[in-house]
Amino acid sequence: MTTNEPSRPRNFIRQIIDDDLAAGRHPGGIVTRFPPEPNGYLHIGHAKSICLNFGIARDYGGRCHLRMDDTNPSKEEQEYIESIQADVRWLGFDWGTHYYHAADYFDRLYEWAELLIRKGKAYVDDQTADQIRDTRGTLTEPGTPSPFRDRSVEENLDLFRRMRAGEFPDGSRVLRAKIDMAAPNVNLRDPVMYRIRRESHHRTGDAWLLYPMYDWAHGQSDAIEGITHSICTLEFEAHRPLYDWFLEQLELPHRPRQLEFARLNLTFTVMSKRMLNELVRERLVAGWDDPRLPTIAGLRRRGYTPESIREFADRIGVAKADSTVDMGLLETTIRDDLNTRVPRAMCVHQPLRVVLENFPEGEVREIEAPNFPDDPPKMGFRKVPFSRVVLIEREDFVEQPPKKFLRLSPGKEVRLRWGPVIRCDRVVQDEAGRVVELRCSLDPDTFTGPPRDGRKIGNAVHWVSEAHAVPVTLRLYDRLFTVPNPAARGEFKQHLNPGSLEILADARAERVVGQAKPGERYQFERRGYYFADPQDCRDGRLVFNRIVPLRDSWAKIVAKG
Ligand code: ATP
Ligand code: MG
């Protein structure tokens, strides 16, 4: 955990905690939890929740539990559990010894369910799921009590025990809380606590065929662990009365408090686990860590830093009203983070050969270039080899340039970044008329300064010496969807961006990049920030993922709607 971060911004949850502390409510300290269901990889929305929960624990000297909310039977949790743990750690947080599974509370939850039955607060209902749904009523009409609602305590206990013992088929009976079928809040209309499902559970195997519902499991899990503030997203606000009702009936010594905040929505992506799962399963992306996904694994693979994601969580803040954050803000955050800490280098994405006819063959000039031009002492200097043949970006040369074109064109001059001014004397084309090479001359006086005669030179273009260049593969990632809200209109997969990945296999970087280690980052000048892919950089091969281009090319598109 880095500690030299600025103090956290205030938010309404911290205000509530401050008030609770001032009122002497939590002498044992603040305890929060992050409770993912291990049915997928975590995404940037979860990161918001992680930063909030673990951040509060850190700042209040309390603790944050990591709890697998694994009340649903499922066999394939191990991969997800491992990814969740890795992602939370990578974000810079630590649960210490406080790692839990909701499934470990199944016995206690069962005992408590019997207690509710004995208190006349729960009953076994023989109605089908459809009947239960159909008799729930609406927002304006009360529900209809089940014909089984007034069973005796003895009968309920007997049936419930036999449910557990496996005497009844799946779906034939449920246990319901006996609250109020006319309650204005539909969550209080005798919610289901247990259903029968003959499915193995990753952790409890075949020990159970009764599985608790989220509402029944969650608050009690919080109480067992001594959670003081159970922070969840807004859709659970209407469940809070139920959360409190269960805790009240059980008269547990510890009473956690549920607080709700707005979930993170981001433009140009999807964050529902179902949709992410679909993209992965149908191989529309390369896996859960595909750098185009908003998963934490994907962002990490793309080259995002944990610091940038924590900073993003701070910038978006924590509010009580739902909103959608522009993807551009996430991209700006990583640019701001990397700007002052990764070195610059030059990398030509689509090379065009330039022969400098007045520079001697075989001669090499080592040019000193700052790694961080804004503040050269900060990152020092490197030597960039210069020779007779250099490569420039194909798009930096235009045969018939528009007015005010500041790059290279026939007869015109341009500066090579950190190097001399060159003039294009001749264009060499192949039989098809494609430009294959430029014949240029350089002004030897301009290696170290402006032209002597004071003539104005346009922009500087990046380049590499052909003989010293390092071949690299570039993966140019872009947004995965072409519309701001892909989930809103029709089938979300229709809006996939066909240009979300462009692979440039023929790029050339300057010599220093040849020493890049997997996981290192560069700003390739004039292009963007890049990350040496930790998995694909091997056997001397260099593969860079574009984390983000230097400028937001989507801003205008969004503005146009
Ligand atoms: P699903 O997509 O299946 O509804 P979920 O997003 O609720 O799943 P969980 O594993 O249950 O996934 O989430 C764990 C925690 O992360 C919960 O406390 C939830 O409130 C929080 N969380 C999930 N999505 C977001 C989001 N977009 N923004 C903020 N917090 C989130
Ligand atoms: Mg959930």
Side-chain angles (χ1 to χ4, degrees):
M1 185 75 249
T2 48
T3 50
N4 56 344
E5 286 176 295
S7 64
R8 302 294 104 184
R10 307 292 314 154
N11 61 52
F12 76 95
I13 290 179
R14 284 166 185 258
Q15 188 57 53
I16 289 170
I17 293 175
D18 288 343
D19 295 346
D20 283 349
L21 286 173
R25 260 177 225 126
H26 304 293
I30 299 301
V31 187
T32 57
R33 87 285 171 267
F34 175 65
E37 182 176 354
N39 61 350
Y41 279 57
L42 300 180
H43 53 61
I44 181 88
H46 294 112
K48 175 180 180 179
S49 175
I50 292 167
C51 291
L52 178 62
N53 281 293
F54 281 92
I56 284 172
R58 174 198 59 208
D59 296 345
Y60 286 91
R63 57 179 207 259
C64 180
H65 297 184
L66 178 62
R67 180 196 312 150
M68 295 302 150
D69 185 6
D70 52 2
T71 49
N72 279 317
S74 130
K75 289 191 199 117
E76 31 183 357
E77 283 169 2
Q78 199 50 38
E79 178 191 352
Y80 298 134
I81 288 175
E82 281 166 19
S83 74
I84 289 167
Q85 294 179 341
D87 289 350
V88 174
R89 284 210 183 91
W90 178 76
L91 279 173
F93 298 107
D94 185 5
W95 53 88
T97 55
H98 296 283
Y99 174 73
Y100 302 100
H101 283 260
D104 292 351
Y105 308 140
F106 280 174
D107 284 315
R108 255 178 290 184
L109 289 170
Y110 177 85
E111 293 304 321
W112 283 336
E114 284 206 357
L115 177 66
L116 287 197
I117 293 173
R118 283 195 300 271
K119 291 175 85 173
K121 299 289 184 180
Y123 62 98
V124 173
D125 194 347
D126 301 356
Q127 294 185 108
T128 63
D130 285 345
Q131 286 169 326
I132 290 174
R133 198 183 43 244
D134 294 345
T135 52
R136 248 183 132 202
T138 64
L139 288 176
T140 48
E141 291 161 53
T144 314
S146 163
F148 305 97
R149 195 171 196 264
D150 292 318
R151 277 179 159 148
S152 68
V153 167
E154 291 66 36
E155 191 184 1
N156 278 320
L157 265 184
D158 175 58
L159 285 172
F160 189 51
R161 287 174 183 165
R162 288 163 61 197
M163 279 168 70
R164 179 186 186 171
E167 287 190 28
F168 308 120
D170 286 15
S172 60
R173 287 186 161 88
V174 295
L175 184 74
R176 294 178 76 174
K178 191 171 180 176
I179 309 179
D180 180 2
M181 286 306 288
N185 182 337
V186 291
N187 292 302
L188 295 176
R189 294 181 189 168
D190 293 8
V192 173
M193 295 167 61
Y194 277 99
R195 70 259 198 245
I196 306 171
R197 279 173 69 179
R198 284 176 171 71
E199 279 176 58
S200 298
H201 187 282
H202 171 83
R203 201 160 171 88
T204 57
D206 295 320
W208 291 90
L209 36 71
L210 274 185
Y211 287 101
M213 303 298 287
Y214 174 90
D215 283 318
W216 169 239
H218 203 83
Q220 282 51 257
S221 304
D222 287 341
I224 290 169
E225 292 177 19
I227 303 298
T228 56
H229 298 83
S230 178
I231 304 167
C232 61
T233 40
L234 272 185
E235 65 271 24
F236 293 103
E237 191 169 23
H239 296 240
R240 191 184 342 127
L242 179 56
Y243 181 100
D244 290 334
W245 188 88
F246 282 134
L247 292 168
E248 249 157 58
Q249 304 308 316
L250 293 173
E251 299 173 67
L252 299 180
H254 178 79
R255 279 293 292 275
R257 173 173 182 187
Q258 178 181 303
L259 302 170
E260 308 87 16
F261 72 103
R263 66 169 45 231
L264 168 66
N265 301 301
L266 253 193
T267 57
F268 294 99
T269 192
V270 292
M271 273 199 281
S272 111
K273 277 189 201 157
R274 175 185 67 78
M275 291 179 186
L276 293 172
N277 223 310
E278 224 171 292
L279 293 172
V280 173
R281 222 179 34 241
E282 295 175 19
R283 296 182 185 279
L284 296 166
V285 293
W288 283 102
D289 68 346
D290 187 296
R292 291 166 292 184
L293 289 180
T295 53
I296 297 175
L299 293 166
R300 175 168 64 230
R301 183 88 188 261
R302 174 97 165 232
Y304 273 77
T305 59
E307 292 84 356
S308 69
I309 293 176
R310 294 201 298 266
E311 170 66 19
F312 176 70
D314 283 349
R315 288 189 188 181
I316 58 177
V318 175
K320 194 84 198 174
D322 267 317
S323 67
T324 300
V325 174
D326 194 298
M327 180 65 93
L329 181 63
L330 180 63
E331 294 165 348
T332 300
T333 310
I334 183 69
R335 282 190 200 101
D336 290 350
D337 181 41
L338 296 181
N339 178 34
T340 54
R341 54 180 182 138
V342 307
R344 274 56 174 164
M346 294 190 284
C347 175
V348 176
H349 287 39
Q350 285 166 308
L352 174 62
R353 211 162 177 262
V354 173
V355 180
L356 300 160
E357 294 186 303
N358 61 340
F359 193 82
E361 210 147 341
E363 190 174 319
V364 179
R365 187 170 171 144
E366 297 282 344
I367 297 176
E368 188 147 277
N371 294 324
F372 185 51
D374 289 352
D375 183 8
K378 189 175 158 121
M379 292 183 211
F381 294 80
R382 68 189 185 279
K383 291 265 179 14
V384 184
F386 178 87
S387 66
R388 182 177 159 89
V389 182
V390 299
L391 305 173
I392 66 166
E393 207 69 75
R394 201 160 256 289
E395 65 176 39
D396 280 334
F397 172 78
V398 172
E399 254 192 302
Q400 277 146 0
K403 275 207 186 94
K404 297 201 184 145
F405 185 71
L406 293 176
R407 291 165 283 162
L408 199 58
S409 54
K412 292 283 170 22
E413 286 182 312
V414 78
R415 181 178 285 281
L416 298 179
R417 180 78 156 150
W418 314 120
V421 171
I422 63 169
R423 187 184 63 223
C424 175
D425 300 323
R426 209 149 43 84
V427 180
V428 182
Q429 296 173 328
D430 64 10
E431 281 148 25
R434 186 178 139 90
V435 176
V436 290
E437 186 177 292
L438 304 178
R439 293 274 158 171
C440 297
S441 50
L442 62 82
D443 176 350
D445 290 340
T446 55
F447 267 107
T448 50
R452 284 209 188 144
D453 59 10
R455 69 189 192 279
K456 286 267 178 290
I457 307 296
N459 289 356
V461 302
H462 59 278
W463 56 276
V464 295
S465 160
E466 185 185 55
H468 304 88
V470 185
V472 296
T473 297
L474 301 178
R475 293 196 288 229
L476 307 188
Y477 291 107
D478 201 350
R479 295 179 180 178
L480 188 53
F481 294 92
T482 54
V483 296
N485 188 353
R489 268 179 297 150
E491 167 62 44
F492 76 101
K493 288 179 286 186
Q494 280 178 357
H495 305 296
L496 280 167
N497 176 7
S500 62
L501 170 58
E502 185 185 354
I503 299 177
L504 300 180
D506 199 31
R508 294 284 184 280
E510 63 168 275
R511 184 178 57 197
V512 69
V513 175
Q515 294 152 24
K517 292 184 192 58
E520 283 185 355
R521 298 175 182 84
Y522 275 101
Q523 185 200 94
F524 290 148
E525 288 204 69
R526 301 174 66 224
R527 304 311 300 238
Y529 292 97
Y530 291 75
F531 181 56
D533 190 286
Q535 281 164 48
D536 295 329
C537 287
R538 52 182 141 80
D539 310 326
R541 188 165 166 250
L542 284 173
V543 180
F544 281 92
N545 301 331
R546 182 173 70 190
I547 308 167
V548 67
L550 286 184
R551 270 169 293 278
D552 180 1
S553 54
W554 286 81
K556 344 186 240 315
I557 299 171
V558 178
K560 268 192 266 165

